[in-house]
Amino acid sequence: MDILKSRRRFLMQLAAAGTMLPLSSSGLAQYLLQGQRQAPRLKVVFFIVPDGLAVDAYSGPEHNGKGLWFPQAASDDTADFELNVVSQELAAYRQQSLYLQGIIVASGTGGHAGWQYALRDSNGQMSSIDKILGDAIPGTQPIHRSLFAGPHAGIDGTPWYVSWDGNKIRAPQQNPVRLYESVFGATAREVRDRQSRNAHVFDPIRADIAALSGRVAGAQREKLVTHLDALEQVAKDLEGAVPSVCEPLALEDHPISSAQYRNQVQASHHKVVAAALGCGVTRVATVQVGRSAESLNILDVSASTNPHDCAHRYAGEEVWRGSRQWYARQAKLFMDELARYDDPDVPGENLLKHTLVVLTSEMADGAPEHMLNMPILLMGGASGLLRSGSGNGRYFNIKSQGDRPHWTGGKYVDMQRIWSTIAQAAGTSVPYAGDVSAVTGIFSNVT
């Protein structure tokens, strides 16, 4: 006779009671965590930089796509390519990178208005892809379904934010210390509230054990007592649990509007988002670096020319190039931070192995201010779903799958189809009007 019909039933009852949240270091808690957290769960991060990544050359005709971003490739779909001046900043992650070309946002024009469309549908009417994914694949804390970090985004009072809930713009947390407090502090409060509300859920488990113990004796009864003791220990652990499996972060609270501390504030945002993903609190996050036409200087590039003017090439080629390299470098540093964590769902595997990082912008190039040939880089292990080649990375020009015509010639792939494709890879869909057919050849589970 199986004492509780199966050990799995016992564990499932505990999970239903809410005990699968991070507990203490007790043996049973660790056993439960290890026994239940085996299946890979995809995480997705959108890393958005402002004013494009210089897809066009410094001099020459607009829309030429021969600037500093796209790799120099031997064909439209190949692992034989050379990284460019800006994409070279991400060389450390080339092996798990897929560079896409041939994409358009909305009509391809609109300049700095692109923030209204970049992560959304082409009509700019529906929720952005990060919100859609967050609702579909939540982490352990539903209140943080889609984390939104905004290092220096809108600190000048201009709320050009790329994330949307329907037709309502979402405001990011600009201060990384406040972001950390809101994520982990709120988590603690929610867990305590849930524990208080759900304490009674243990009662049926206790009743099952009590009923069975009255019908058995000897070794079987001893097993039931062991189960009951374990249950009571879990209940006790819950009362004093710290709802985080990650070590606390030590963050300095720097002035977020000061160019002097720009690198430090940026790095702190990376740490908080990576910690939230590494703890399993959320599975979806957006990091919006600055905003379109941002004015806070990047001192590593220029103390006198702001990033917007750098993108417009007003101060020459050196700062134009340097500013785009700095933004790409931040994405690399964020990848480094993700790589520090173990995956919260698959013991013994790295967080980056099960994360997809999407690097893009609200426009393609900041000088002509267009949204044609958008820079899109997909990085990370993505739980094995991303078709990034066989060890050397991959360049993939998808213009042949285009659906939206442009006067420069031919058709381009509407950005909303990229979001639709990612959504399908994550097991959901987008509610967008128009063409939302998947782009083939990007993910192994989407055709």
Side-chain angles (χ1 to χ4, degrees):
M1 171 183 176
D2 189 334
I3 297 301
L4 288 176
K5 296 198 168 92
S6 74
R7 181 174 297 179
R8 180 173 297 177
R9 176 191 171 196
F10 178 71
L11 295 176
M12 289 176 64
Q13 286 174 306
L14 294 181
T19 64
M20 299 312 294
L21 294 166
L23 306 175
S24 72
S25 58
S26 76
L28 179 62
Q30 292 300 315
Y31 173 70
L32 289 174
L33 288 171
Q34 293 172 6
Q36 295 293 309
R37 301 166 71 183
Q38 294 291 336
R41 303 176 78 204
L42 180 67
K43 294 87 178 168
V44 185
V45 183
F46 299 90
F47 199 94
I48 314 300
V49 301
D51 298 338
L53 285 168
V55 301
D56 290 344
Y58 185 75
S59 58
E62 296 180 3
H63 310 105
N64 58 30
K66 297 180 179 180
L68 306 180
W69 174 251
F70 291 114
Q72 299 172 4
S75 65
D76 284 347
D77 186 0
T78 181
D80 182 13
F81 61 86
E82 293 183 12
L83 294 173
N84 212 322
V85 174
V86 173
S87 49
Q88 180 65 34
E89 295 291 333
L90 290 146
Y93 295 97
R94 170 179 174 140
Q95 292 184 348
Q96 49 185 254
S97 293
L98 173 58
Y99 287 85
L100 296 178
Q101 187 171 356
I103 301 164
I104 187 172
V105 167
S107 66
T109 59
H112 293 297
W115 58 272
Q116 300 177 67
Y117 306 93
L119 294 184
R120 306 171 74 195
D121 58 300
S122 298
N123 295 321
Q125 296 176 345
M126 307 293 287
S127 293
S128 50
I129 181 61
D130 55 342
K131 180 65 169 60
I132 292 170
L133 289 181
D135 289 342
I137 54 171
T140 61
Q141 301 302 322
I143 59 173
H144 297 299
R145 289 175 182 269
S146 177
L147 206 62
F148 190 13
H152 305 104
I155 56 173
D156 56 0
T158 306
W160 289 354
Y161 305 134
V162 297
S163 186
W164 294 75
D165 183 357
N167 61 1
K168 296 179 180 178
I169 192 169
R170 297 177 66 209
Q173 178 54 259
Q174 299 163 324
N175 186 312
V177 176
R178 303 291 90 78
L179 177 64
Y180 179 69
E181 292 172 348
S182 70
V183 172
F184 293 95
T187 297
R189 288 190 297 273
E190 183 181 359
V191 170
R192 286 194 295 270
D193 290 344
R194 184 192 297 190
Q195 291 163 5
S196 176
R197 292 193 303 269
N198 291 351
H200 67 279
V201 202
F202 285 95
D203 293 340
I205 306 174
R206 292 187 177 101
D208 282 350
I209 295 175
L212 285 170
S213 64
R215 299 199 299 268
V216 298
Q220 291 181 332
R221 185 181 179 86
E222 289 180 7
K223 290 180 181 179
L224 282 173
V225 170
T226 299
H227 279 305
L228 183 59
D229 288 344
L231 178 65
E232 297 300 340
Q233 182 60 52
V234 170
K236 183 177 180 180
D237 286 345
L238 281 172
E239 293 176 0
V242 177
S244 171
V245 294
C246 295
E247 295 182 2
L249 297 179
L251 303 175
E252 296 186 28
D253 198 356
H254 295 296
I256 63 172
S257 298
S258 170
Q260 178 182 354
Y261 296 102
R262 177 151 198 170
N263 288 344
Q264 293 91 326
V265 170
Q266 182 76 38
S268 291
H269 275 282
H270 295 171
K271 291 178 180 179
V272 177
V273 174
L277 292 164
C279 291
V281 170
T282 187
R283 292 171 61 194
V284 180
T286 299
V287 180
Q288 181 178 349
V289 184
R291 66 161 177 88
S292 186
E294 70 161 322
S295 58
L296 185 68
N297 286 355
I298 300 171
L299 298 185
D300 292 352
V301 177
S302 174
S304 58
T305 306
N306 67 47
H308 173 236
D309 290 351
C310 288
H312 269 286
R313 313 172 193 175
Y314 293 154
E317 187 171 358
E318 183 177 354
V319 296
W320 168 68
R321 179 179 62 251
S323 60
R324 303 310 102 185
Q325 288 174 312
W326 186 88
Y327 287 121
R329 194 175 308 132
Q330 303 318 301
K332 187 269 181 185
L333 294 173
F334 176 66
M335 295 286 287
D336 291 347
E337 196 64 37
L338 291 177
R340 292 182 57 249
Y341 283 86
D342 292 332
D343 187 81
D345 303 305
V346 185
E349 296 190 356
N350 187 266
L351 173 62
L352 201 52
K353 183 175 181 178
H354 298 289
T355 302
L356 172 69
V357 177
V358 182
L359 171 61
T360 189
S361 179
E362 87 293 336
M363 68 172 68
D365 198 291
E369 295 186 351
H370 66 78
M371 299 176 290
L372 185 71
N373 258 332
M374 289 292 296
I376 290 279
L377 171 59
L378 307 180
M379 296 182 288
S383 295
L385 299 177
L386 183 64
R387 295 178 60 182
S388 53
S390 56
N392 198 42
R394 182 179 172 213
Y395 165 81
F396 188 21
N397 190 323
I398 57 176
K399 195 169 184 291
S400 62
Q401 300 185 50
D403 58 287
R404 180 180 284 269
H406 191 268
W407 62 265
T408 57
K411 293 182 179 180
Y412 294 80
V413 173
D414 197 326
M415 182 77 98
Q416 73 172 24
R417 290 179 59 204
I418 301 298
W419 307 145
S420 176
T421 306
I422 291 175
Q424 291 182 51
T428 188
S429 61
V430 294
Y432 300 159
D435 192 346
V436 291
S437 60
V439 177
T440 61
I442 296 179
F443 297 103
S444 60
N445 64 339
V446 179
T447 58

